[in-house]
């Protein structure tokens, strides 16, 4: 306690001594112009390009008693339950004068109707052009757009520094377009858990529900990120918000402009793992940094470039790599058709390898939505291709049939199937391709014995017919 009091006293003395010096750092404004310093010119340029996004979907209220066979037997099947409209509110950014808007995928997920509202309160119907759940981004297009809209240009988000001043523009809590300001408080945040690509800009600009999909703008009035998530125990802003970097947003928008229904990204064809302190000690590293190559898919870009298991990726195009998430982001934002130079530590030496930037093969998907009365009703399935394995984070050499989507209210969703489940067998019949599972689902059975692989673990499931 004495040490604490003494330390506190010293702090008081030092504070008193330092006060005159601090006062010398301050100065009285020398002109009226200095009193009028403001972010208003930046806001006036950026605000017209930020929109409010209104999404709505129709849901059927289902009485749980309908699932009770005794209820159905004695009371019959009632008529259709009344429909209910669910609405969500978010923000978006106009990125093309023809009426192309980027927002968060979670803002418009499952929507039947989408509208946007401009800063001048005009409203327009919009259609969904592209959805990308891996980045939580979606691209909309104004229907019957007959004018040129105000847009925001992309900044190079890799040039951001911690401490840079930024503005967040959006529609928090539906109160109307709002501007908040703060600084970039951290870069390359990876433990957010919102998207596959964990590489977020962190800011202390106030971001609240309704800001999702809105703009994070730098002091030149350019778009540096799309506000996506907050860390909060109260549901409101607590000074920690996360934005998807503009360089990732640019990739998604480019895919939408090219007419694609899915985002095209480079495929490495190798599984990477983080370097733990134990691995670092084994490799003789001072710091547990880098992305360790666990395995390489034959004939993949990684294999053709000469990457080998146990290689440690330390940089890509001169940018240091601290962990696999950083590599995934840097690699995914490279332009297709070229090549990326990767620095690898191998045998204590740095080796440079050149990886071609090409998409993963996506042949023989044979997507099917299962409609027959069975535990699989409402599941969308596909044969596993390298592209699907990459998208769902499966082992690159996995074969078989995988669930890639589930219909809301479908039997498959209600019994517990999940996106990414691999179906190995049904009633002792091996499932090798989608037609096998389609046939098995139509066979009808009182008892369903199903073998599923989820997260690398095999699960045996028995369900009633």
């Amino acid at each position: 306690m004495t040490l604490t009091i003494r330390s506190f006293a010293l702090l008081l003395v030092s504070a008193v001594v330092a006060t005159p010096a601090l006062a010398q750092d301050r100065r009285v404004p020398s002109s009226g112009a200095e009193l009028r310093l403001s972010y208003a010119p930046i806001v006036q340029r950026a605000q017209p390009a930020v929109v409010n996004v209104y999404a709505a979907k129709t849901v059927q209220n289902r009485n749980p008693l309908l699932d009770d066979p005794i209820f159905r037997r004695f009371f019959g099947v009632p008529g259709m339950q009344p429909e209910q409209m669910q609405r969500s509110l978010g923000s978006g950014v106009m990125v093309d004068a023809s009426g192309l808007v980027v927002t968060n995928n979670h803002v418009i997920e499952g929507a039947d109707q989408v509208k946007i509202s401009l800063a001048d309160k005009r409203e327009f119907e919009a259609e969904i052009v592209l959805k990308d759940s891996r980045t939580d981004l979606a691209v909309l297009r104004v229907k019957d757009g007959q004018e040129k809209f105000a847009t925001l240009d992309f900044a190079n988000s890799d040039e951001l520094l911690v401490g840079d001043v930024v503005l967040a523009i959006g529609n928090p809590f539906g109160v109307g377009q709002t501007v908040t300001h703060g600084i970039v408080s951290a870069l390359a945040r990876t433990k957010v858990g919102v998207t596959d690509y964990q590489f977020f800009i962190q800011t202390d600009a106030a971001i609240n529900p309704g800001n999702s999909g809105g703009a994070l703008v730098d002091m030149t009035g350019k778009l540096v990120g799309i506000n996506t998530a907050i860390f909060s125990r109260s549901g409101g802003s607590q000074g920690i918000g996360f934005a998807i970097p503009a360089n990732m947003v640019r990739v998604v928008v480019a895919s939408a402009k090219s007419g694609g229904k899915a985002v095209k990204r480079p495929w490495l064809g190798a599984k990477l793992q983080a370097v733990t302190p134990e691995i670092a000690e084994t490799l003789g590293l001072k710091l547990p940094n880098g992305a360790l190559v666990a395995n390489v898919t034959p004939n993949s870009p990684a294999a053709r470039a000469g990457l080998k298991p146990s290689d440690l990726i330390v940089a890509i195009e001169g940018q240091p790599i601290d962990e696999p998430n950083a590599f995934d982001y840097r690699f995914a934002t490279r332009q297709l058709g070229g090549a990326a130079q990767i620095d690898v530590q191998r045998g204590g030496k740095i080796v440079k390898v050149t990886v071609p930037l090409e998409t993963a093969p996506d042949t023989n998907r044979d997507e099917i939505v299962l409609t027959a009365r069975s535990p699989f009703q409402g599941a969308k399935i596909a044969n596993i291709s390298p592209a699907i394995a990459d998208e769902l984070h499966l082992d690159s050499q996995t074969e078989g049939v995988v669930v890639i989507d589930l219909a809301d209210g479908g039997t498959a969703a209600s019994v517990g199937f999940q996106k990414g489940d691999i179906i190995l067998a049904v009633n002792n019949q091996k499932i090798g391709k989608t037609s096998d599972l389609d046939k098995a689902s139509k066979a009808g059975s009182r008892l369903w014995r199903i073998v599923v692989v989820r997260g690398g673990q095999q699960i045996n499931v028995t369900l009633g017919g």
Side-chain angles (χ1 to χ4, degrees):
M1 179 63 71
T2 304
L3 179 62
T4 304
I5 294 171
R6 186 176 301 163
S7 302
F8 184 65
L10 287 172
L11 284 172
L12 284 175
V13 171
S14 63
V16 171
V17 173
T19 300
L22 290 173
Q24 291 175 6
D25 293 336
R26 307 293 195 269
R27 65 182 179 85
V28 176
S30 60
S31 68
E34 288 192 0
L35 289 174
R36 291 176 58 83
L37 289 175
S38 171
Y39 298 123
I42 300 169
V43 174
Q44 287 172 359
R45 289 200 303 271
Q47 205 168 29
V50 180
V51 304
N52 301 334
V53 177
Y54 303 93
K57 68 175 178 179
T58 304
V59 294
Q60 186 81 38
N61 288 332
R62 180 173 176 79
N63 191 326
L65 291 175
L66 291 176
D67 296 324
D68 186 338
I70 296 177
F71 180 91
R72 293 167 63 91
R73 178 180 176 186
F74 285 96
F75 297 97
V77 181
M80 294 293 289
Q81 300 298 300
E83 293 181 339
Q84 183 179 7
M85 188 69 75
Q86 290 184 352
R87 304 180 188 276
S88 63
L89 171 69
S91 305
V93 181
M94 197 75 70
V95 291
D96 189 272
S98 65
L100 217 57
V101 175
V102 64
T103 186
N104 282 138
N105 184 56
H106 73 258
V107 171
I108 54 87
E109 183 64 29
D112 302 315
Q113 307 167 30
V114 180
K115 286 184 178 181
I116 67 162
S117 173
L118 304 183
D120 61 14
K121 298 184 179 180
R122 286 182 298 158
E123 290 190 355
F124 296 89
E125 296 281 346
E127 59 183 347
I128 299 171
V129 177
L130 182 149
K131 297 192 297 182
D132 187 47
S133 59
R134 300 188 68 183
T135 57
D136 192 24
L137 291 171
V139 180
L140 316 175
R141 179 181 287 114
V142 174
K143 291 182 179 178
D144 304 321
Q146 300 295 322
E147 62 181 280
K148 287 192 175 181
F149 296 93
T151 64
L152 278 184
D153 294 330
F154 288 107
N156 181 358
S157 52
D158 287 343
E159 295 178 353
L160 272 181
L161 297 174
V162 174
D164 282 350
V165 176
V166 286
L167 305 178
I169 309 177
N171 186 8
F173 297 112
V175 299
Q177 200 169 90
T178 302
V179 182
T180 55
H181 95 286
I183 63 169
V184 174
S185 50
L187 294 168
R189 284 298 193 218
T190 60
K191 301 186 185 301
V192 181
V194 180
T195 70
D196 286 357
Y197 293 98
Q198 296 288 303
F199 202 84
F200 290 89
I201 301 165
Q202 181 179 312
T203 177
D204 67 351
I207 296 174
N208 289 288
N211 271 112
S212 288
L216 191 68
V217 177
D218 66 12
M219 290 298 97
T220 67
K222 291 185 177 180
L223 183 72
V224 293
I226 294 294
N227 298 316
T228 296
I230 59 173
F231 177 84
S232 176
R233 289 190 172 93
S234 65
S237 174
Q238 292 186 326
I240 301 179
F242 302 99
I244 300 167
N247 288 358
M248 179 61 80
V249 181
R250 194 196 310 264
V251 171
V252 176
V253 172
S255 290
K257 285 184 175 180
S258 69
K261 294 297 183 183
V263 179
K264 294 182 179 180
R265 300 182 178 89
W267 173 55
L268 179 64
K271 185 177 181 180
L272 307 179
Q273 69 180 78
V275 179
T276 62
E278 293 76 19
I279 293 175
E281 184 178 352
T282 301
L283 297 176
L285 302 175
K286 293 181 180 179
L287 297 172
N289 289 342
L292 190 66
V293 178
N295 61 54
V296 178
T297 303
N299 301 318
S300 67
R304 286 184 270 122
L307 271 180
K308 300 176 181 179
S310 298
D311 280 349
L312 181 68
I313 298 175
V314 295
I316 175 171
E317 296 294 341
Q319 295 174 312
I321 297 299
D322 295 330
E323 58 176 335
N325 283 314
F327 178 84
D328 289 344
Y329 168 80
R330 299 289 184 198
F331 193 70
T333 52
R334 305 301 301 173
Q335 189 171 355
L336 286 167
Q341 188 176 79
I342 297 175
D343 292 353
V344 171
Q345 183 171 308
R346 180 187 296 165
K349 297 180 179 180
I350 297 296
V351 178
K352 294 185 181 295
V353 299
T354 302
V355 179
L357 298 170
E358 55 191 51
T359 58
D362 196 18
T363 56
N364 195 31
R365 285 175 71 115
D366 279 342
E367 291 183 8
I368 299 174
V369 176
L370 301 176
T371 57
R373 182 171 177 174
S374 73
F376 305 103
Q377 185 270 327
K380 188 176 185 179
I381 59 172
N383 296 327
I384 300 176
S385 65
I388 289 179
D390 183 54
E391 177 184 338
L392 299 179
H393 302 290
L394 307 176
D395 188 288
S396 57
Q397 300 184 52
T398 303
E399 296 180 350
V401 174
V402 65
V403 177
I404 60 173
D405 201 6
L406 294 160
D408 291 339
T411 306
S414 65
V415 301
F417 282 108
Q418 297 178 9
K419 184 177 179 179
D421 284 348
I422 301 170
I423 313 299
L424 295 185
V426 177
N427 291 336
N428 299 320
Q429 297 295 314
K430 181 181 177 181
I431 303 299
K433 52 186 183 293
T434 55
S435 57
D436 294 338
L437 186 53
D438 187 35
K439 181 179 179 180
S441 69
K442 292 175 179 176
S445 177
R446 284 192 160 189
L447 205 62
W448 298 83
R449 295 183 178 87
I450 306 166
V451 182
V452 180
V453 173
R454 177 182 296 170
Q457 300 295 316
Q458 182 170 307
I459 306 170
N460 295 309
V461 181
T462 302
L463 299 171

